[in-house]
Every structure is written in C-alpha cells, then in structure tokens.
Amino acid sequence: MLNKYARAFFTRVLTPFAAFLIRRGVSPDTVTLIGTAGVVAGALVFYPRGEFFWGTVVITLFVFSDLVDGNMARQLGRSSRWGAFLDSTLDRVADGAIFGGFALWYAGRGDDNMLCAVSIFCLASGQVVSYTKARGESIGLPVAVNGLVERAERLVISLVAAGFAGLHKFGVPGIQYLLPIALWIVAAGSLVTLIQRVVTVRRESAEAEAAAARQENQGSGAAT
C-alpha cells in the first residue's frame, strides 16, 4: 500500500527538488551514494547510543534520496540497469545499518538480548525477503504477490516508532516501549511476507513447469 500510494505522492512532491539538482549538474548516482551515506551515519552514530529521535531525524532527511534519484533519472531519460542495481544494492546497505543500529543498542546499553535478536532477525529477514523476489524474477517468474510488510512498511513502522521512542529522553513517559513493539511487528510481518513470496514462487514455478510440459507434449504429438 505504501509503495503504491505514498511513493507516488512523494514523487510528485520531490519532482521540483530533483529538477533543481539536475540544473546544478548533480547526477542520480551521486544522490544515491550521499543518501545511503547519510542513512548509515544516522543509524550507526545515533542509534547505538540510544539517540533514537535525532537519529531518526537524520535518517529521514536522507531516506528520500531513494525517490529523488529515480525521479532525476526519469527526467534525464537515463534509467539504466546500472542505476537500478546500485539503488537496490545500497537500499540493502541502508536497511542493514538501521536494524544493525537497533541491535547494537540492545546488545550494549539497551541491555536486552531478546530485542537484540529481534533486531537481527528484522535485518536478516528484510534482506531475504528482497532476495526471494530478485531470485524468482531472475529465473523468469513474475513473483506476483504484494507482501504484508515490504521495505516501505518496514522503514515507516521502524523509523516512526524509533522517532517517538526517542522522545522519552525529552520527558515523555512510557513512549520508549513503541520501538520494541514496532520491532516485533516488523519481525512478524517480514516472516509472513517471506512465506508469501516462497509460496508464490513455488506455485508459479509449478505452473511454469506444467506449461512447459504441455508444450513439449503438444510438440511431440504434432511431430508424430
């Protein structure tokens, strides 16, 4: 849902900014690299110290680069395989930094091994969810499924919860529990999404093999 509606909305909003960067001679790849560096810095500098509010502010400022670089490429007519590869690869780096930052906090001063493990599961499952779609498509399957919790949902749930949880340091009571709740939701949702994609690939694979067998049988019948 977020991929379909929120991405379209923010793309329209960010189009003038993308056009401004193009006029200044900035390339889409540069925006991708700077955006990823900002997200990684925000996650790994602030989150391990428990500075969830300011970390989320920094990450939010840079995370929209994922929309800006694609918008720039379309305006320039330069959409390429390399750009898509770089963008997808660095998305995985950024996601790993965010959930890695949570894991470092809970492994250290956060002192909660269970939530550290949940954060690591969110990190790993997010990577595997993305891999299942990419691998399915690479073997010629459409992987036609809208997962329960995809990348946009993982980021929004985690970052919104982290930002509000960070307000605990400003004296807001009880709000720090939002982040653990969000991590459990993302973990459960990612597991469901992974199962959805595996089941879909299994079904599409069986259908493709059955269709190939029918074609082979028809070809053999025609030859005789």
Side-chain angles (χ1 to χ4, degrees):
M1 181 178 67
L2 286 172
N3 273 329
K4 182 177 181 181
Y5 297 107
R7 179 176 287 269
F9 170 76
F10 283 110
T11 296
R12 289 195 299 272
V13 171
L14 294 171
T15 293
F17 180 61
F20 169 80
L21 292 177
I22 291 171
R23 290 195 297 271
R24 292 295 181 271
V26 180
S27 71
D29 287 353
T30 300
V31 172
T32 303
L33 291 167
I34 292 175
T36 302
V39 171
V40 170
L44 297 183
V45 171
F46 291 95
Y47 283 175
R49 297 187 297 169
E51 298 288 346
F52 295 119
F53 177 79
W54 292 115
T56 300
V57 169
V58 172
I59 291 170
T60 302
L61 290 175
F62 286 98
V63 79
F64 285 107
S65 65
D66 188 45
L67 299 177
V68 174
D69 56 6
N71 193 311
M72 293 172 66
R74 285 189 294 274
Q75 290 190 44
L76 290 168
R78 292 184 191 169
S79 296
S80 64
R81 291 182 178 88
W82 162 249
F85 170 81
L86 180 66
D87 188 57
S88 180
T89 300
L90 294 184
D91 281 350
R92 306 290 83 76
V93 173
D95 293 359
I98 291 170
F99 290 104
F102 294 146
L104 288 171
W105 163 250
Y106 287 117
R109 286 192 289 174
D111 193 23
D112 193 317
N113 289 336
M114 177 60 74
L115 288 175
C116 176
V118 173
S119 299
I120 293 172
F121 179 82
C122 289
L123 190 163
S125 61
Q127 307 295 322
V128 176
V129 164
S130 297
Y131 173 79
T132 53
K133 186 173 180 65
R135 182 62 178 137
E137 291 175 342
S138 74
I139 59 176
L141 300 175
V143 195
V145 59
N146 292 321
L148 179 65
V149 176
E150 298 186 346
R151 183 173 188 258
E153 287 81 8
R154 289 197 303 273
L155 288 180
V156 169
I157 293 170
S158 302
L159 294 178
V160 169
F164 278 110
L167 295 176
H168 178 69
K169 288 200 170 185
F170 295 89
V172 180
I175 203 165
Q176 71 272 20
Y177 298 111
L178 283 178
L179 181 56
I181 292 170
L183 289 173
W184 279 106
I185 291 173
V186 170
S190 296
L191 179 60
V192 171
T193 304
L194 177 59
I195 294 171
Q196 287 176 307
R197 289 194 173 178
V198 170
V199 170
T200 298
V201 169
R202 173 60 180 157
R203 174 178 53 78
E204 291 176 348
S205 177
E207 291 172 351
E209 290 172 2
R214 285 195 300 270
Q215 289 180 350
E216 183 177 348
N217 290 335
Q218 290 172 356
S220 298
T224 58

